[in-house]
Amino acid sequence: MNLKNPADRWGGVSQLLHWSIALLILTIGVVGLVMGELPRTPKYFWVYTAHKSLGITVLALVLLRIGWRLYAGAPRPLPGIPRWQAWLASATHGALYLLILAMPLSGWLYDSASGLRPFRWFGLVEVPRLAAPDEILASAAHDAHEWLFWLLVALVLAHAGAALHHHFIQRDATLARMLPRRLRAAPPREDSP
Ligand code: HEM
Ligand code: HEM
């Protein structure tokens, strides 16, 4: 397995970071949406701590991913992709990076500014406050956390839709080169022997 990114596809580390961050964000998003409805038993606090701890983990993984991207680069764009499409893909990827940084940061800022007792990351290490308690800041960070999430959902749907379109309709290697080797075969063209 190639760790760095060869010219024609994404390497193992980039793939692992891409799919683990995507899976974590999906889990954290679902937990975030349901946790407010939970009965206020002791488990309620545990679920909040899990949401926050997984969110801080995403922040660390995203920073690692950006560092790895700068070090390992990206594969060459596929030939035959129109310039406007390549530009749109790059703009979407840039926006996705910004959003997956902004999501945990806005959550952390909200948590800090709302004046709650600092939480411990998976019960292990106390996470420092980003700001002193402040009602206005807490409310702004809360709104940002919620609205940025829906913006992220919309962009991820467009991004995943584009990847599936490339795979099943255009039948090129865009998605296949972000998948492990054994899952990589693109579906055969109907006109292939
Ligand atoms: C990728 C990371 C994250 C995602 C995708 C995410 C997503 C969400 C979502 C969808 C909600 C529900 C919003 C609503 O409908 O009001 C939520 C709520 C919340 N999040 Fe996050 N979150 C992330 C990281 C964090 C982090 C790192 C913290 C704190 C350190 C945090 C703290 C909270 C809190 C306290 C709430 C409850 C807000 C309320 O009581 O209304 N989140 N999050
Ligand atoms: C929370 C979910 C997701 C996030 C935040 C995300 C984010 C990203 C980002 C930022 C890139 C650009 C990588 C770079 O240039 O450094 C990327 C690439 C890619 N993503 Fe996702 N992604 C998510 C989910 C998905 C899903 C569900 C699919 C497929 C169904 C997918 C397919 C791809 C593919 C194929 C590439 C490579 C594109 C290329 O080579 O030009 N992603 N993703």
Side-chain angles (χ1 to χ4, degrees), residues 62-168:
V62 173
L63 292 175
L64 188 69
R65 179 170 175 189
I66 292 173
W68 181 258
R69 174 69 158 79
L70 295 174
Y71 166 71
R76 262 198 304 270
L78 283 176
I81 305 263
R83 268 177 66 168
W84 68 267
Q85 235 182 64
W87 181 88
L88 193 63
S90 301
T92 309
H93 294 161
L96 283 170
Y97 274 125
L98 286 179
L99 283 170
I100 56 182
L101 277 175
M103 271 316 294
L105 283 174
S106 57
W108 189 1
L109 191 60
Y110 164 61
D111 195 55
S112 310
S114 54
L116 299 172
R117 205 150 38 95
F119 72 101
R120 299 177 81 83
W121 182 80
F122 292 112
L124 299 172
V125 192
E126 189 168 292
V127 176
R129 281 183 201 282
L130 277 186
D134 178 333
E135 235 175 83
I136 295 174
L137 181 61
S139 159
H142 181 271
D143 287 354
H145 197 58
E146 192 175 344
W147 285 105
L148 290 175
F149 176 71
W150 292 114
L151 187 56
L152 176 64
V153 169
L155 271 191
V156 166
L157 287 178
H159 169 72
L164 295 175
H165 179 84
H166 275 283
H167 193 70
F168 290 110

